[in-house]
């Protein structure tokens, strides 16, 4: 420790971070209010050498070390005033992580003195801690840049053809028998042939990974023997989470992306830029707080000791500061250009678009992202809310963005639970939520539809529990939402009652089919397709154990059948544009024809009238999609042809009912493809004529396809997915 005789040159203020140029390393760190910055270098034995960065240009401290190289471990110590009441927390006794670090090494030991104040002091956060934390602190590592640039071949699936699959890097493979033990829980594990074959067979087009940016296990969780499993506690926006790299090398992430691309699958990252793991004024000093707290975070005006918190995690990044916007934009471009990812889902995105405390669709970050030549080519998905006042902003993000649609989730759950008055809203949700998104030229794909996600019950638990069961989280079952819109069907949790089990299975089929036959972009939660349960825990953010790990060896017959059905529904959606059209359905005749693009049908086979929509007790809805109404696909010979017609009927009532199949002005018939009352298998029922009564069970969904005679043999000449009879076998 102490001053160094290493050669130090002035270097450059850009790019920020540690940049190897083939001869030496340039170090650059933004801090508007610092008075001195020391670069701390560590050798293989952990010995520290300190070097003052010699230059300060445009609020950036910088220096160039011609003797440094990739692999060098480093951190910073930043000097300045310690005045918490003014939002200034400088403390050079604390080693800090470079916000632009491409890799982190070591581990954070919470037994170390990582708070800049004295724990237990009567006025704790106003005190000053002089204990050094370097020995127990995470550290940064210089990496060689550009190894992956220009070598990715992204599939670039159009939005309206996209099927999202939300998954966790660790939980997906921790119990996978065909993934080598040394690779389980890592990106190398997700690259295993068995995983790729499964994803391709399922038919999804994009994996959406829960956070892979470097994150922390919260101190209060570690004390209780728990982990921050989900990863929504970031400390580095450029570095992959070290535990997800089996090899410890960045090339593992790039290899994973290339493997997915080769399989035709895009990689979407769930990113958390709204807050950091440093928490509120009683949190640790690990990076941003010690570098320039007043620039990086939103502070309470007039009482800057405290943080404005619209994330619910203690702090919120200050997107009114240009350096914060630059940090996030640089991070996003890095993951696209050098790591090859295809898009992002932004956690609590409303927090990133707050100007003067309020959401603004023209906020600096949103404007920057919209015009960026790199980001305009990738998928951008907003979680359109935060926990602050006015934070719920579904439908208010700019054109070009897609948004998680929680109204879709709530309506589908409520309808299939049998709640009254859901039919009108369900009709809007399954046709793309035009009431929310049909403005400013936005398309149905702006709605990311989901019934379940990482946050909440799995699909199996949604039909098995009336109440959350989060006791394992150690918070007295107070955490997690109570508004689950779930139903246990008579028994809480597992049951030997076969009738209840089969009804639960039917309800899972109902909701999966509804999701995959809705306009918009469907998102599946990994494991829902075969029945993964979290034992009723609807907030397992801290459960890094079999509660959250997918159990591949206990899927069972019903799980395998349901998986095959999900795969078939995905192929049906892929092969028929009526289920994924790029324009909103209007229920009006297509210009130049008398064919209506979508019709709502009553059980008697007739079109619904205004009085039918006003009946809050009805629990039946039928949707007729006419393939000739402007829905075209291109044949292998390049000839455009109209798509087929389909009828989707849903009955969420307890009682069975008879529905008459609508009469169409052609010579076709109705072929039942799927009846959820039969379980997760496809129907092999005979063709039905127009006006024929069809008996629907209570709480069931039936899908029909219109068959047209083939010249000469009465067959069906139009393309379709796999033969239903074969699929049943």
């Amino acid at each position: 420790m102490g001053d160094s005789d290493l050669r130090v040159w002035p270097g450059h203020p850009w790019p920020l971070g540690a940049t190897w140029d083939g001869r030496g390393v340039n170090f650059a760190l933004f801090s508007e209010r610092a008075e001195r910055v020391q670069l701390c270098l560590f050798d293989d034995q952990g010995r520290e050498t300190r070097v003052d960065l010699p230059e300060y240009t445009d609020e950036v401290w910088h220096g160039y070390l011609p003797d440094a190289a990739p692999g060098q471990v480093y951190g910073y110590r930043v000097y300045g005033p310690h005045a918490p009441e003014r939002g200034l927390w400088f403390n050079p006794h604390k080693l800090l992580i470079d916000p632009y670090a491409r890799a982190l090494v070591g581990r954070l030991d919470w037994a170390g003195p990582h708070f800049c104040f004295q724990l237990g002091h009567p006025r704790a956060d106003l005190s000053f801690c002089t204990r050094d934390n370097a020995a127990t602190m995470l550290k940064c590592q210089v990496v060689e840049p550009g190894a992956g640039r220009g070598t990715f071949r992204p599939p670039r699936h159009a939005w309206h053809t996209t099927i999202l699959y939300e998954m966790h890097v660790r939980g997906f493979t921790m119990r996978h028998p065909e993934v080598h033990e040394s690779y389980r829980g890592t990106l190398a594990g997700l690259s295993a042939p068995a995983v790729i074959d499964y994803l391709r067979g399922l038919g999804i087009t994009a994996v959406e990974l829960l956070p892979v940016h470097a994150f922390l296990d919260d101190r209060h969780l570690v004390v209780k023997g728990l982990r921050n499993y989900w990863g929504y506690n970031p400390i580095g926006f450029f570095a992959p989470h070290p535990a997800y790299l089996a090899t410890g090398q960045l090339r593992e992430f790039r290899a994973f992306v290339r493997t997915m691309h080769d399989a035709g699958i895009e990689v979407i990252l769930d990113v958390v830029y709204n807050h950091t793991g440093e928490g509120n004024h009683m949190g640790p000093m690990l990076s941003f707080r010690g570098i320039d707290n007043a620039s990086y975070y939103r502070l309470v005006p007039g009482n800057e000791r405290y943080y404005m918190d619209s994330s619910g995690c203690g702090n919120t990044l200050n997107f009114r500061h240009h350096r914060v916007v630059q940090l996030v934009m640089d991070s996003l471009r890095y993951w696209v250009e050098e790591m090859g990812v295809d898009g992002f889902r932004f956690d609590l995105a409303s927090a990133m678009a707050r100007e003067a405390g309020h959401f603004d669709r023209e906020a600096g970050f949103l404007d920057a992202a919209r015009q960026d030549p790199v980001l305009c080519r990738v998928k951008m998905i907003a979680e359109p809310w935060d926990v602050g006042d006015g934070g719920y902003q579904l439908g208010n993000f700019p054109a070009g963005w897609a948004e998680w649609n929680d109204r879709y989730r709530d309506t589908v759950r409520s309808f299939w639970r049998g709640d009254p008055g859901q039919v009108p809203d369900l009709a809007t949700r399954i046709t793309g939520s035009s009431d929310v998104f049909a403005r400013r030229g936005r398309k149905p794909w702006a709605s990311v539809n989901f019934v379940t996600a990482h946050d909440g019950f799995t699909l199996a638990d949604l039909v098995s529990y009336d109440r959350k069961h989060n006791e394992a989280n150690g918070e007295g079952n107070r955490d997690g939402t109570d508004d689950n819109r779930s139903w246990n069907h008579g028994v809480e949790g597992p049951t030997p009652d076969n009738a209840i089990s089969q009804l639960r299975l039917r309800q899972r089929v109902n909701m999966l089919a509804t999701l995959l036959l809705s306009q918009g972009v469907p998102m599946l939660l990994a494991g829902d397709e075969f029945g993964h349960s979290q034992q009723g825990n609807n907030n397992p953010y801290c459960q890094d154990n079999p509660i959250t790990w997918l159990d591949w060896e206990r899927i069972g017959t019903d799980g395998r059948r349901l998986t095959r059905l999900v795969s078939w529904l995905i192929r049906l959606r892929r092969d028929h544009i009526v289920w994924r059209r790029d324009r909103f359905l209007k229920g009006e005749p297509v210009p130049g024809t008398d064919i209506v693009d979508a019709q709502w049908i009553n059980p008697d086979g007739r079109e619904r009238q205004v009085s039918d929509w006003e009946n809050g007790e009805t629990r039946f809805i039928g949707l007729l999609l006419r393939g000739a109404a402007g829905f075209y696909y291109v044949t292998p010979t390049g000839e455009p042809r109209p798509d087929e017609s389909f009828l989707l009927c849903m009955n969420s009532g307890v009682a069975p009912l008879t529905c008459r199949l609508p009469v169409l002005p052609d010579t076709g018939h109705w072929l039942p493809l799927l009846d959820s009352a039969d379980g997760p298998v496809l129907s092999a029922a005979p063709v039905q004529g127009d006006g024929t009564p069809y008996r629907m069970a209570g709480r069931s969904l039936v899908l029909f396809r219109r068959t047209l005679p083939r010249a000469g043999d009465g067959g069906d000449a139009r393309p379709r997915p796999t033969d239903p009879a074969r699929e049943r076998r």
Side-chain angles (χ1 to χ4, degrees), residues 66 86 113 157 206 237 289 556 568 587 652 656:
R86 293 192 287 125
H157 294 293
F237 297 132
R289 173 173 285 138
W568 180 85
S652 66

mmCIF file of all heavy atoms in Angstrom, residues 66 86 113 157 206 237 289 556 568 587 652 656:
data_model
loop_
_atom_site.group_PDB
_atom_site.id
_atom_site.type_symbol
_atom_site.label_atom_id
_atom_site.label_comp_id
_atom_site.label_asym_id
_atom_site.label_seq_id
_atom_site.Cartn_x
_atom_site.Cartn_y
_atom_site.Cartn_z
ATOM 1 N N PRO A 66 0.864 2.537 -18.815
ATOM 2 C CA PRO A 66 1.434 1.740 -19.906
ATOM 3 C C PRO A 66 1.877 0.357 -19.466
ATOM 4 O O PRO A 66 2.104 -0.520 -20.322
ATOM 5 C CB PRO A 66 2.628 2.584 -20.368
ATOM 6 C CG PRO A 66 2.990 3.419 -19.189
ATOM 7 C CD PRO A 66 1.702 3.707 -18.474
ATOM 8 N N ARG A 86 -25.895 17.073 3.100
ATOM 9 C CA ARG A 86 -25.896 17.658 1.760
ATOM 10 C C ARG A 86 -25.794 16.597 0.667
ATOM 11 O O ARG A 86 -25.597 16.911 -0.498
ATOM 12 C CB ARG A 86 -24.731 18.648 1.630
ATOM 13 C CG ARG A 86 -24.871 19.896 2.505
ATOM 14 C CD ARG A 86 -23.857 20.960 2.133
ATOM 15 N NE ARG A 86 -22.505 20.611 2.553
ATOM 16 C CZ ARG A 86 -21.455 20.567 1.752
ATOM 17 N NH1 ARG A 86 -21.588 20.819 0.460
ATOM 18 N NH2 ARG A 86 -20.251 20.262 2.220
ATOM 19 N N PRO A 113 -16.240 -4.033 6.851
ATOM 20 C CA PRO A 113 -16.777 -2.692 7.151
ATOM 21 C C PRO A 113 -17.201 -1.955 5.876
ATOM 22 O O PRO A 113 -16.532 -1.024 5.431
ATOM 23 C CB PRO A 113 -15.603 -2.001 7.841
ATOM 24 C CG PRO A 113 -14.392 -2.619 7.214
ATOM 25 C CD PRO A 113 -14.757 -4.051 6.929
ATOM 26 N N HIS A 157 -36.151 -11.887 -35.219
ATOM 27 C CA HIS A 157 -37.556 -12.217 -35.403
ATOM 28 C C HIS A 157 -38.405 -10.951 -35.339
ATOM 29 O O HIS A 157 -38.192 -10.095 -34.487
ATOM 30 C CB HIS A 157 -38.026 -13.188 -34.314
ATOM 31 C CG HIS A 157 -37.373 -14.532 -34.381
ATOM 32 N ND1 HIS A 157 -37.589 -15.410 -35.413
ATOM 33 C CD2 HIS A 157 -36.490 -15.145 -33.534
ATOM 34 C CE1 HIS A 157 -36.890 -16.515 -35.209
ATOM 35 N NE2 HIS A 157 -36.207 -16.382 -34.081
ATOM 36 N N ALA A 206 -37.552 -16.471 -28.305
ATOM 37 C CA ALA A 206 -36.653 -15.618 -27.511
ATOM 38 C C ALA A 206 -36.686 -16.054 -26.058
ATOM 39 O O ALA A 206 -37.766 -16.302 -25.497
ATOM 40 C CB ALA A 206 -37.056 -14.148 -27.627
ATOM 41 N N PHE A 237 -23.343 -2.630 -14.115
ATOM 42 C CA PHE A 237 -24.207 -2.662 -15.297
ATOM 43 C C PHE A 237 -23.489 -3.154 -16.559
ATOM 44 O O PHE A 237 -24.101 -3.228 -17.617
ATOM 45 C CB PHE A 237 -24.798 -1.278 -15.554
ATOM 46 C CG PHE A 237 -25.688 -0.789 -14.444
ATOM 47 C CD1 PHE A 237 -25.542 0.490 -13.925
ATOM 48 C CD2 PHE A 237 -26.674 -1.602 -13.923
ATOM 49 C CE1 PHE A 237 -26.365 0.942 -12.907
ATOM 50 C CE2 PHE A 237 -27.506 -1.168 -12.903
ATOM 51 C CZ PHE A 237 -27.352 0.115 -12.395
ATOM 52 N N ARG A 289 -22.405 5.526 -4.446
ATOM 53 C CA ARG A 289 -22.544 6.407 -3.292
ATOM 54 C C ARG A 289 -21.217 7.067 -2.952
ATOM 55 O O ARG A 289 -21.173 8.247 -2.612
ATOM 56 C CB ARG A 289 -23.063 5.606 -2.095
ATOM 57 C CG ARG A 289 -23.086 6.408 -0.788
ATOM 58 C CD ARG A 289 -23.768 5.625 0.330
ATOM 59 N NE ARG A 289 -25.203 5.612 0.143
ATOM 60 C CZ ARG A 289 -25.987 4.555 0.320
ATOM 61 N NH1 ARG A 289 -25.454 3.396 0.666
ATOM 62 N NH2 ARG A 289 -27.282 4.634 0.140
ATOM 63 N N GLY A 556 -43.729 -35.968 -15.203
ATOM 64 C CA GLY A 556 -44.914 -36.806 -15.225
ATOM 65 C C GLY A 556 -45.624 -36.810 -16.574
ATOM 66 O O GLY A 556 -45.343 -36.001 -17.464
ATOM 67 N N TRP A 568 -47.517 -27.487 -29.811
ATOM 68 C CA TRP A 568 -48.458 -27.492 -30.935
ATOM 69 C C TRP A 568 -49.134 -26.129 -31.085
ATOM 70 O O TRP A 568 -49.284 -25.620 -32.193
ATOM 71 C CB TRP A 568 -49.509 -28.578 -30.731
ATOM 72 C CG TRP A 568 -50.498 -28.641 -31.857
ATOM 73 C CD1 TRP A 568 -50.372 -29.317 -33.037
ATOM 74 C CD2 TRP A 568 -51.761 -27.974 -31.907
ATOM 75 N NE1 TRP A 568 -51.483 -29.120 -33.816
ATOM 76 C CE2 TRP A 568 -52.352 -28.294 -33.153
ATOM 77 C CE3 TRP A 568 -52.458 -27.144 -31.030
ATOM 78 C CZ2 TRP A 568 -53.607 -27.817 -33.536
ATOM 79 C CZ3 TRP A 568 -53.703 -26.658 -31.405
ATOM 80 C CH2 TRP A 568 -54.268 -26.996 -32.646
ATOM 81 N N GLY A 587 -63.420 -5.677 -35.735
ATOM 82 C CA GLY A 587 -64.786 -6.151 -35.809
ATOM 83 C C GLY A 587 -65.574 -5.462 -36.894
ATOM 84 O O GLY A 587 -66.800 -5.314 -36.800
ATOM 85 N N SER A 652 -66.235 -20.138 -19.031
ATOM 86 C CA SER A 652 -65.667 -20.164 -17.675
ATOM 87 C C SER A 652 -66.725 -20.429 -16.616
ATOM 88 O O SER A 652 -66.433 -20.398 -15.423
ATOM 89 C CB SER A 652 -64.960 -18.842 -17.370
ATOM 90 O OG SER A 652 -65.892 -17.772 -17.323
ATOM 91 N N PRO A 656 -72.075 -26.922 -17.977
ATOM 92 C CA PRO A 656 -71.849 -27.112 -19.415
ATOM 93 C C PRO A 656 -72.896 -26.350 -20.214
ATOM 94 O O PRO A 656 -73.940 -25.961 -19.686
ATOM 95 C CB PRO A 656 -71.996 -28.622 -19.594
ATOM 96 C CG PRO A 656 -72.862 -29.064 -18.459
ATOM 97 C CD PRO A 656 -72.539 -28.155 -17.314
#
